[in-house]
Amino acid sequence: AMEVRSFNARDVAKRAGVELPLMANADALSKVAIKTKLELQGQQLQADDFVLQLDSSTLTGWLHVVDINKQQLRYDLAFDHLNINDYLPPVEQDGDAEQAAAASVGDTAANKAGGDEKIELPVKMLRQLDIQGDFRIASLVAKDFDIKQFSMALKAQNGVIAVKHVTLDMMEGRLESALDINVQKKLPAYAISLDADQIQAGPVANPYLASAMGEKPLKMNGAIDLKMGIKTSGETVNQLKKASKGQIVLEMKQTEVDGFDPEYYMRKSVADYVQAKGFSLSDSISGSYKPREVTVFDRIYSTVKLADGKASTDDFLMDSKRVQVRADGYADIMHDRLDVMSSVRLPRGKTAAEKIFDEPVYVRVHGPYTALEYDIDEDRLKKSTTDVLKNQAKAKLDEEKQRLKEKADEEVKRAEEKAKEKLEDTLKDKLKGLF
């Protein structure tokens, strides 16, 4: 048996001449203890009943080195709970945060400008790995996420590192994933799969939606089902992007989108267009409609295919009782650009002016992710509104014709009455002469 009583790992490291990095929790690594049953037989080393006390967390299980010379490792380990945040760098102050943000922007710009730098993998070491084991954490805190029942199975042999059965409960749903890294050949190959079941999308999606529609940020509240399977290979980021092949299928039901009202955008765009054509229907189209703070979609769905450096879709759908949005197009993942043609459809119009909405309005969304542009397809809008505008013009013309006809009939009637009155007066004068 072997037991190492509780000690302060930071102090021990300092005495050994090693300065450990600062951590968010100043007391991190202050209480470390190890207890296990060790057995060494030839090239085999076994550590059973293994217990590692890491501050307030406890790791238990066993580790076996099957062959020390071949570095064959087998294990089964589990934490009761772990807060990773304690061991991350301290939270930055405002000034430091600004500098870090500026550095991050610089790094992002550099990454966008490059992408051809070789990813240096320790290929020789990876090919020699012979590891197999299971690892679990009952309760895990990482950043702002509370994760339950995390588990991961690892198998690394013959140049194939397979991270299998990664499962966890988080954001009110369940996530399963797997990752394979194959370094058997000169060009490393990767395969990743992901299956998300009723995961709350907001915490992940909202940071990316924050500036998607301009001044007002978007927020999403809903659970997502997502299946992803992607394979790729390469030695640089750009090679990996270019070689990515696979499919992503996502679906959401009863999803609230805060700050997004496609009906208001559609009405305003069509009203401005019609007004520019000289038809005074703007008030009839826009009316007193005010943009809604929240749009509830009954279903959001899309199949995304990856190939040739692009993520493409032809069946994107956002469907609700009062508005339907469809889209097809692609995201250029090589150059961080988007080019999508979307259509917005409202329920069939009730008034003559609203008949314009019987056909969808098409909007092209395009440009770099950080500066997207939204353009109405005026050619299609012209085609879809022509008949309605012609009918409206004809109705006005018919109304004017009817008004003129009624005016003419009234004048004729008055003229006939005057002539009749004049004739009667003449007859009266003649009768008076006879008598």
Side-chain angles (χ1 to χ4, degrees):
M2 184 195 80
E3 182 175 358
V4 179
R5 295 180 182 275
S6 179
F7 64 94
N8 189 315
R10 190 173 293 279
D11 289 344
V12 172
K14 189 174 183 179
R15 286 197 295 268
V18 178
E19 190 70 30
L20 296 178
L22 293 177
M23 297 180 181
N25 186 342
D27 295 328
L29 301 180
S30 63
K31 296 179 181 179
V32 180
I34 301 173
K35 185 177 181 180
T36 187
K37 291 180 180 179
L38 280 178
E39 183 177 348
L40 178 61
Q41 291 184 347
Q43 296 299 317
Q44 292 186 353
L45 175 64
Q46 296 182 353
D48 293 313
D49 297 334
F50 181 84
V51 179
L52 168 66
Q53 192 69 39
L54 181 64
D55 298 318
S56 64
S57 303
T58 303
L59 177 70
T60 58
W62 56 263
L63 298 96
H64 293 172
V65 181
V66 180
D67 190 320
I68 296 176
N69 288 333
K70 295 181 180 179
Q71 299 179 356
Q72 294 176 316
L73 177 65
R74 305 292 181 264
Y75 64 88
D76 190 318
L77 298 168
F79 265 113
D80 55 352
H81 64 270
L82 182 65
N83 188 337
I84 292 179
N85 296 340
D86 289 345
Y87 305 95
L88 296 177
V91 177
E92 298 161 333
Q93 300 300 319
D94 291 343
D96 295 335
E98 290 178 4
Q99 292 179 2
S104 176
V105 171
D107 290 343
T108 301
N111 289 336
K112 288 183 178 180
D116 291 322
E117 300 81 5
K118 185 176 180 179
I119 301 172
E120 297 293 345
L121 291 178
V123 174
K124 185 176 180 181
M125 182 271 288
L126 292 175
R127 288 173 179 168
Q128 294 175 345
L129 287 179
D130 190 340
I131 301 175
Q132 187 171 339
D134 296 317
F135 179 66
R136 297 175 299 283
I137 305 176
S139 177
L140 172 66
V141 176
K143 293 293 185 180
D144 296 328
F145 300 113
D146 290 323
I147 300 170
K148 305 295 183 184
Q149 304 304 323
F150 173 88
S151 67
M152 179 182 72
L154 171 66
K155 183 177 182 180
Q157 288 178 330
N158 304 318
V160 178
I161 299 88
V163 183
K164 299 291 186 183
H165 310 299
V166 180
T167 62
L168 57 146
D169 297 335
M170 65 181 293
M171 292 185 288
E172 302 180 32
R174 187 164 181 78
L175 191 70
E176 296 185 14
S177 183
L179 170 66
D180 286 356
I181 303 175
N182 190 327
V183 292
Q184 292 175 329
K185 299 179 181 179
K186 181 179 179 181
L187 204 62
Y190 305 83
I192 183 171
S193 65
L194 182 67
D195 190 345
D197 182 18
Q198 290 296 288
I199 295 288
Q200 288 297 316
V204 177
N206 288 344
Y208 296 95
L209 294 174
S211 59
M213 290 291 285
E215 296 180 359
K216 187 170 183 178
L218 295 179
K219 291 183 180 179
M220 179 178 287
N221 181 21
I224 185 171
D225 291 333
L226 185 146
K227 292 184 181 296
M228 177 176 71
I230 298 173
K231 292 183 178 181
T232 188
S233 60
E235 294 181 303
T236 69
V237 172
N238 285 341
Q239 287 178 1
L240 293 175
K241 287 181 177 181
K242 184 70 174 177
S244 293
K245 294 184 181 299
Q247 181 171 279
I248 303 171
V249 180
L250 64 90
E251 182 168 15
M252 303 177 71
K253 296 179 180 178
Q254 291 302 308
T255 304
E256 295 181 357
V257 182
D258 187 0
F260 177 55
D261 186 355
E263 179 175 353
Y264 174 77
Y265 177 79
M266 181 177 179
R267 284 180 177 274
K268 185 177 185 304
S269 299
V270 173
D272 290 346
Y273 171 82
V274 171
Q275 190 73 21
K277 298 301 178 182
F279 291 87
S280 56
L281 301 177
S282 181
D283 292 341
S284 300
I285 294 172
S286 297
S288 59
Y289 188 91
K290 302 296 182 183
R292 302 193 184 194
E293 293 295 325
V294 177
T295 300
V296 179
F297 291 96
D298 300 315
R299 187 187 188 212
I300 298 177
Y301 177 88
S302 184
T303 302
V304 179
K305 296 180 180 179
L306 273 73
D308 302 321
K310 293 181 180 179
S312 306
T313 183
D314 60 5
D315 62 358
F316 180 85
L317 170 68
M318 299 177 75
D319 195 16
S320 74
K321 292 180 176 61
R322 63 185 183 87
V323 65
Q324 183 184 86
V325 181
R326 292 184 177 275
D328 63 85
Y330 65 87
D332 187 337
I333 61 178
M334 298 294 297
H335 304 97
D336 295 340
R337 298 183 66 86
L338 191 71
D339 196 341
V340 172
M341 180 61 76
S342 64
S343 65
V344 184
R345 178 187 290 274
L346 299 182
R348 296 187 68 83
K350 297 178 181 179
T351 67
E354 287 183 335
K355 292 297 181 182
I356 288 176
F357 300 125
D358 286 352
E359 294 296 327
V361 172
Y362 290 86
V363 181
R364 184 186 173 210
V365 185
H366 62 100
Y369 298 159
T370 54
L372 291 176
E373 296 182 26
Y374 303 82
D375 299 329
I376 288 283
D377 188 331
E378 291 196 359
D379 290 338
R380 294 198 196 190
L381 185 58
K382 178 181 178 181
K383 183 178 180 181
S384 62
T385 58
T386 295
D387 289 341
V388 176
L389 296 180
K390 282 183 177 179
N391 291 338
Q392 187 73 12
K394 183 176 182 300
K396 285 192 173 184
L397 182 60
D398 290 344
E399 182 181 339
E400 183 65 16
K401 285 181 178 179
Q402 182 64 26
R403 188 184 68 79
L404 292 174
K405 181 177 182 301
E406 290 175 355
K407 182 178 180 181
D409 291 344
E410 187 66 27
E411 290 178 353
V412 169
K413 185 177 180 180
R414 283 199 297 268
E416 289 177 346
E417 288 178 352
K418 286 183 178 180
K420 183 179 178 182
E421 290 174 357
K422 184 177 181 179
L423 179 59
E424 289 177 350
D425 290 341
T426 302
L427 290 173
K428 286 179 181 180
D429 290 340
K430 287 185 177 181
L431 288 173
K432 286 181 180 179
L434 292 174
F435 297 99

